[in-house]
């Protein structure tokens, strides 16, 4: 047999093995919150190494709302297995899942200190919830355009707002916590589902202010300044930190973040094993990306809920500001 024929045969055999390998590889699909993304990405990378390529875990970042659209979609072939969420599932999303026959397990994985940031050259060090409301409420659109309009002591500088898009759970939580109503926000701001775009916007604009998960601030401390937050009616401004989240003083911008697992997907061995691995290591990954881990007891309770496939949500289809994870995990889930 000549060299050309041998080479051709080798190519055919190699192609055959590649096709078999591709067929053997199973896929776990994750998408949703940019806030939860760093934890899910870390879990996916380590799990794939553990499985030596036998399982592929894809992690998207379309925002909490975008993730739930793919999670509750009627066409099962387009459905993701896991939705990353920086706020609880809404009543509308619950209805969409119900209509599509999707049951889910709600699993808190960490705490986030939602962080308000400004340009490093901004002289401010703190801001109150009332001042944030004055900046971001719908009535401010086109009217509140200078920092001094919010507070005469603030700089005389054009106000440039940067924030997550309307599909973001961070957007929904922030508006609930500051304005008092979810999704109630002025629309004339620079919006992006990619928090890195917001980081760049604030860092390049002297009048810039924005908000996102603490992990993105921690990665960019050299470019940004975090503001201490004074709660409504409070006197003491508190900077975001692990200690402040744990002791409850970083209020009202500390929040639990979640993954939602499709109950049917959870019956597949690769998904079940991935979620068990995720919960076992979520505390470590949370710390690595600068979020606040839950207690060991909370992670155990979450793992027990997953093992029993306790479907539904501990919420009534809306956000709750200042909720304790230990209380959530004990609630009877609603569907």
């Amino acid at each position: 047999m000549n060299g050309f024929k041998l080479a051709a045969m080798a190519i055919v055999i190699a192609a055959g093995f590649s096709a078999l390998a591709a067929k053997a590889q199973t896929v776990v699909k994750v998408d949703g919150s940019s806030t939860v993304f760093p934890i899910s990405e870390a879990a996916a990378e380590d799990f794939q190494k553990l499985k030596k390529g036998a399982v592929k875990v894809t992690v998207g970042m379309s925002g909490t709302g975008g993730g739930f659209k793919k999670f509750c979609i009627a066409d099962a072939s387009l459905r993701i297995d896991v939705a990353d969420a920086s706020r609880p599932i809404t009543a509308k999303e619950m209805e969409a899942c119900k209509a599509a026959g999707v049951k889910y397990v709600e699993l808190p994985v960490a705490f986030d200190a939602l962080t308000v940031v400004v340009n490093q050259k901004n002289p401010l060090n703190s801001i109150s919830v009332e001042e944030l409301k004055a900046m971001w409420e719908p009535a401010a659109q086109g009217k509140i355009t200078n920092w001094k309009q919010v507070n005469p002591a603030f700089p005389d500088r054009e106000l440039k707002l940067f924030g997550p898009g309307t599909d973001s759970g961070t957007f929904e939580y922030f508006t609930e916590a500051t304005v008092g109503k979810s999704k109630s926000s002025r629309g004339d701001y620079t919006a992006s589902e990619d928090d890195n775009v917001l980081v760049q916007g604030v860092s390049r604009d002297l009048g810039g202010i924005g908000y996102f998960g603490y992990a993105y601030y921690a990665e960019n401390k050299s470019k940004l300044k975090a503001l201490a937050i004074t709660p409504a009616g409070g006197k003491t401004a508190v900077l975001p930190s692990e200690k402040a989240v744990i002791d409850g003083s970083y209020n009202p911008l500390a929040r639990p973040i979640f993954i939602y697992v499709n109950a049917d997907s959870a019956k597949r061995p690769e998904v079940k094993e991935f979620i068990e691995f995720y919960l076992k290591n979520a505390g470590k990954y949370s710390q690595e990306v600068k979020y606040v881990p839950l207690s060991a007891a909370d992670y155990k309770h979450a793992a027990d809920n997953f093992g029993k496939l306790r479907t539904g949500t501990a919420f009534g289809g809306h956000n709750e500001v200042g909720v304790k994870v230990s209380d959530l995990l004990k609630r009877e889930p609603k569907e």
Side-chain angles (χ1 to χ4, degrees):
M1 192 178 286
N2 63 36
F4 178 79
K5 285 183 178 177
L6 281 170
M9 188 178 289
I11 290 169
V12 170
I13 291 169
F17 277 123
S18 295
L20 283 170
K23 191 175 181 182
Q25 188 180 54
T26 53
V27 179
V28 180
K29 298 177 192 173
V30 185
D31 203 338
S33 168
S34 61
T35 303
V36 187
F37 176 84
I39 306 175
S40 292
E41 183 184 42
E45 286 179 1
D46 283 355
F47 184 72
Q48 288 174 125
K49 288 175 189 174
L50 179 70
K51 301 304 291 181
K52 298 179 179 177
V55 180
K56 182 179 181 182
V57 183
T58 62
V59 186
M61 191 170 60
S62 60
T64 298
F68 275 126
K69 284 174 186 173
K70 297 176 184 181
F71 188 73
C72 304
I73 194 168
D75 187 342
S77 67
L78 301 175
R79 205 175 287 154
I80 60 173
D81 303 301
V82 182
D84 287 344
S86 60
R87 48 87 177 150
I89 190 168
T90 65
K92 188 177 179 181
E93 290 158 351
M94 289 168 72
E95 284 302 314
C97 274
K98 192 173 184 179
V102 174
K103 289 183 177 288
Y104 47 84
V105 184
E106 177 183 77
L107 300 169
V109 293
F111 269 107
D112 175 33
L114 204 161
T115 304
V116 178
V117 297
V118 292
N119 187 279
Q120 281 206 322
K121 292 182 180 177
N122 192 314
L124 282 187
N125 292 308
S126 66
I127 194 165
S128 71
V129 167
E130 290 89 350
E131 287 160 348
L132 287 170
K133 179 180 180 180
M135 281 183 183
W136 286 95
E137 65 184 344
Q141 182 162 331
K143 297 175 182 175
I144 305 300
T145 57
N146 189 292
W147 282 81
K148 287 189 84 67
Q149 290 176 274
V150 178
N151 184 327
F154 285 179
D156 184 7
R157 185 171 290 146
E158 187 179 1
L159 180 66
K160 293 291 188 71
L161 298 154
F162 298 85
T166 56
D167 262 347
S168 165
T170 299
F171 167 78
E172 294 186 41
Y173 191 91
F174 180 83
T175 49
E176 178 94 35
T178 58
V179 179
K181 184 180 177 183
S182 180
K183 296 191 176 186
S184 181
S185 171
R186 65 191 296 171
D188 56 342
Y189 70 96
T190 301
S192 177
E193 301 295 352
D194 185 345
D195 292 328
N196 293 305
V197 172
L198 306 181
V199 168
Q200 294 304 317
V202 177
S203 66
R204 291 171 181 169
D205 199 308
L206 291 176
I209 182 169
Y211 63 92
F212 36 70
Y214 185 81
Y216 291 89
Y217 163 67
E219 276 186 357
N220 296 281
K221 283 185 177 180
S222 61
K223 301 177 184 177
L224 302 166
K225 180 197 286 188
L227 294 182
I229 305 297
T230 307
K235 294 180 180 179
T236 304
V238 180
L239 278 166
S241 69
E242 180 173 341
K243 180 182 179 298
V245 170
I246 291 170
D247 68 22
S249 61
Y250 190 66
N251 183 37
L253 296 183
R255 56 175 179 163
I257 54 180
F258 307 85
I259 57 173
Y260 286 75
V261 185
N262 181 305
D264 284 338
S265 296
K267 294 169 186 174
R268 289 174 14 222
E270 66 274 16
V271 176
K272 181 176 183 290
E273 193 175 350
F274 172 62
I275 298 303
E276 288 171 346
F277 176 86
Y278 194 128
L279 292 175
K280 184 179 178 181
N281 294 282
K284 178 183 75 169
Y285 297 138
S286 299
Q287 285 187 311
E288 284 175 0
V289 300
K290 308 302 181 187
Y291 290 137
V292 179
L294 309 182
S295 70
D298 285 343
Y299 283 123
K300 184 181 183 306
H301 200 153
D304 289 344
N305 284 352
F306 177 67
K308 294 171 185 172
L309 287 183
R310 290 187 74 210
T311 58
T313 173
F315 300 84
H318 56 83
N319 267 320
E320 289 182 40
V321 175
V323 67
K324 290 182 179 179
V325 167
S326 56
D327 293 338
L328 289 178
L329 290 165
K330 293 171 189 171
R331 289 181 186 175
E332 193 60 38
K334 302 168 188 173
E335 295 189 73

